[in-house]
Amino acid sequence: MNYEETIQFLYQATPAFEQKGGCAYKPGLERMYGMSEAVGNPHTQFRSIHVAGTNGKGSVSSTLASIFMETGLKVGLFTSPHLVSFRERIRVIGKPIEKSYVTEFVQKALPLITHWKPSFFELTTLLAFDYFAHQSVDLAIVEVGMGGRLDSTNILHPILSVITNVSLDHTQFLGNTLPEIAAEKAGIIKTNTPIVLGEKVAVEVFQHKAEEEKAPFYTAFNRPYSLHLNQNGEWQASQSPFGAIQVKLHGEPQKFNTCTLLTALEVIRERNLLSFTDEEVQRGFLKVEANSHLLGRWQKVALSPTIVLDTGHNLEGIRLNALQLQKETYNQLHIVFGMVADKAWKEVLQLLPREAHYYFATPESERGLPATEMLEESKKIGMQGKAFPSIMEAYHQACQEASAQDLIYVGGSNYIVAHVLREAFPSRVETSLLSEKQ
């Protein structure tokens, strides 16, 4: 099989949650331990930082990777889902995994696929760990896929665990209340391994688990980092332990993510887990997009009109984006929007501004919510908009109707953002990934 055939085989042979939804979700670690043992337990061959949370874990993971790349370490980064190419998920010093490695690994893993029948994410996690071991990385930053306790990545024994926050998402798998979801995420807390909690939600759940595991417990929400917005709309931390920090990632969530990151870095320094200078921390924050190639976090891709892409796709993510929109300056607001059907999309609509012009589109996924259905619901609460046959038709109509002083916000789903990013702003995507239709 060549690379394209290999990726197609992966989607067909191993169920992918992003495409299939709940029927592709396979909780439990038995398959991961069994498969990992068969390929030499690669997860035991590198140091790691494990990052969980409902929102913000991609930004936190990517920024940590950027900071430790600035120290000169050979850093692996595993995130999900991808926006443009499968290979985005697995990086070493910023470079995506080679096509040849993906192809050769899947060929080698065919007996494992037959025997263990893993999910897409399980096999992808195994591939990432195998690649990091093969590359002899000094450190891997590993983002949890969903939850934590039963997530494929939870076979790791990291030097530090980080949980960004907890909100209601994936309730059909993780529980219907914040304490239930928190208990799942707390499952990444390991014996004697320090844990950092970002936001003040269900704290007692995490504290109890940390006490059980004798894990040193740290919180970010009570630290005096004094974050404020500069004239460019970027967060700055003037009272951080690492000097003045300028955050290049935009948007309301980055205020919380930055506090989580600074606390994690304090813990790493205090416990002498890794070495770094204040200047390396500052550069890591500034260069996160260049180093880690993170996309779609309140990403301003054009001016006149201003066009913003953001992958926030659950209640809390959209709530923060709605707050961010209130801080933006524009004449008229245009929103290109679509969601998958298993999210709380009716509740999300309630959070969005009524005065905007809406352009609804259906995400390109089996889980995609029909744009017409979202349009009908939006009319019931006084929104003005139209449904479009395709994502790009919705986007082009928004561009046609917007004036130079307007703002176009594209969001609601990774699929919506990925499609617009690839088709309208290919220069923002690594050239080597653009030709990969995934």
Side-chain angles (χ1 to χ4, degrees):
M1 291 186 289
N2 62 24
Y3 173 73
E4 288 71 22
E5 291 168 341
T6 299
I7 295 300
Q8 192 62 33
F9 169 79
L10 277 178
Y11 279 119
Q12 291 173 350
T14 60
F17 177 82
E18 290 92 348
Q19 290 292 333
K20 302 286 187 182
C23 65
Y25 180 54
K26 290 191 171 186
L29 298 178
E30 301 84 0
R31 288 176 299 279
M32 280 303 299
Y33 278 119
M35 292 190 300
S36 189
E37 184 175 5
V39 296
N41 289 316
H43 65 290
T44 65
Q45 298 173 37
F46 50 83
R47 292 178 295 180
S48 63
I49 297 175
H50 202 192
V51 184
T54 303
N55 294 308
K57 55 187 181 291
S59 296
V60 167
S61 297
S62 296
T63 305
L64 284 171
S66 178
I67 290 166
F68 288 107
M69 283 168 62
E70 289 299 311
T71 71
L73 291 181
K74 189 174 188 179
V75 180
L77 176 62
F78 179 50
T79 58
S80 62
H82 63 268
L83 285 182
V84 176
S85 163
F86 171 83
R87 296 192 296 127
E88 289 172 48
R89 295 171 180 249
I90 305 167
R91 295 179 181 273
V92 172
I93 51 174
K95 297 176 182 177
I97 186 171
E98 298 92 344
K99 291 181 180 180
S100 59
Y101 200 94
V102 176
T103 301
E104 289 166 12
F105 177 84
V106 172
Q107 192 68 41
K108 180 175 69 175
L110 287 176
L112 298 180
I113 296 172
T114 301
H115 178 75
W116 291 101
K117 297 179 172 55
S119 69
F120 179 87
F121 188 72
E122 286 172 324
L123 196 64
T124 302
T125 302
L126 187 67
L127 167 60
F129 292 171
D130 189 77
Y131 185 63
F132 294 157
H134 175 78
Q135 287 284 315
S136 300
V137 300
D138 300 308
L139 176 70
I141 312 297
V142 177
E143 178 189 344
V144 167
M146 184 195 303
R149 181 175 65 93
L150 300 176
D151 188 74
S152 309
T153 61
N154 205 29
I155 62 173
L156 287 172
H157 286 273
I159 61 171
L160 175 70
S161 303
V162 178
I163 300 172
T164 57
N165 52 49
V166 179
S167 62
L168 295 175
D169 196 16
H170 301 303
T171 53
Q172 66 270 48
F173 310 113
L174 305 180
N176 293 309
T177 67
L178 291 176
E180 286 176 327
I181 296 172
E184 290 299 317
K185 296 188 186 302
I188 73 164
I189 298 174
K190 302 293 194 304
T191 303
N192 297 322
T193 302
I195 170 70
V196 171
L197 175 64
E199 297 180 37
K200 192 176 183 179
V201 180
V203 179
E204 63 285 349
V205 174
F206 296 108
Q207 195 157 18
H208 177 69
K209 179 64 174 175
E211 289 171 358
E212 279 187 347
E213 297 294 339
K214 297 181 172 55
F217 181 64
Y218 301 85
T219 57
F221 50 79
N222 53 358
R223 308 235 171 185
Y225 294 133
S226 186
L227 266 75
H228 62 278
L229 287 169
N230 65 18
Q231 60 185 11
N232 297 321
E234 297 169 334
W235 291 104
Q236 289 188 313
S238 55
Q239 296 182 25
S240 92
F242 314 103
I245 299 294
Q246 184 174 344
V247 182
K248 292 305 288 184
L249 298 179
H250 289 246
E252 189 71 14
Q254 303 309 328
K255 172 173 63 176
F256 305 104
N257 294 338
T258 300
C259 289
T260 302
L261 282 158
L262 293 175
T263 304
L265 291 165
E266 278 201 80
V267 172
I268 291 169
R269 176 174 281 180
E270 173 190 313
R271 303 185 72 85
N272 199 29
L273 301 176
L274 296 163
S275 298
F276 54 85
T277 66
D278 293 354
E279 292 75 19
E280 288 163 347
V281 172
Q282 293 163 20
R283 289 203 308 270
F285 272 99
L286 281 172
K287 296 169 67 176
V288 59
E289 291 172 312
N291 285 347
S292 300
H293 301 277
L294 184 65
L295 300 169
R297 270 59 172 188
W298 206 256
Q299 185 179 6
K300 292 189 177 181
V301 290
L303 301 173
S304 189
T306 299
I307 302 175
V308 175
L309 310 180
D310 192 274
T311 56
H313 57 274
N314 54 36
L315 272 170
E316 183 61 13
I318 300 299
R319 185 187 72 80
L320 291 173
N321 283 352
L323 287 175
Q324 182 64 36
L325 285 170
Q326 294 175 15
K327 297 180 179 181
E328 299 289 339
T329 301
Y330 52 82
N331 184 13
Q332 295 286 332
L333 176 61
H334 306 263
I335 297 182
V336 180
F337 205 78
M339 294 189 71
V340 293
D342 52 22
K343 297 293 181 183
W345 61 273
K346 291 183 181 180
E347 291 85 349
V348 162
L349 283 176
Q350 296 284 350
L351 298 174
L352 294 169
R354 298 291 184 272
E355 71 277 8
H357 302 283
Y358 286 88
Y359 310 79
F360 294 113
T362 305
E364 294 184 340
S365 164
E366 292 180 30
R367 299 161 60 209
L369 177 72
T372 51
E373 198 170 331
M374 183 165 269
L375 173 64
E376 288 307 309
E377 187 66 25
S378 73
K379 288 178 179 177
K380 296 176 185 177
I381 55 175
M383 290 177 162
Q384 301 297 316
K386 296 177 182 177
F388 292 83
S390 73
I391 295 169
M392 291 312 293
E393 285 179 77
Y395 172 75
H396 287 312
Q397 188 64 33
C399 292
Q400 187 174 322
E401 294 184 12
S403 71
Q405 292 74 42
D406 291 354
L407 186 147
I408 301 173
Y409 158 47
V410 179
S413 166
N414 286 297
Y415 300 102
I416 301 289
V417 170
H419 199 95
V420 171
L421 190 63
R422 177 194 286 279
E423 298 299 325
F425 301 99
S427 63
R428 301 287 182 138
V429 180
E430 296 155 271
T431 305
S432 64
L433 303 180
L434 267 177
S435 62
E436 299 172 20
K437 297 287 185 181
Q438 296 152 33

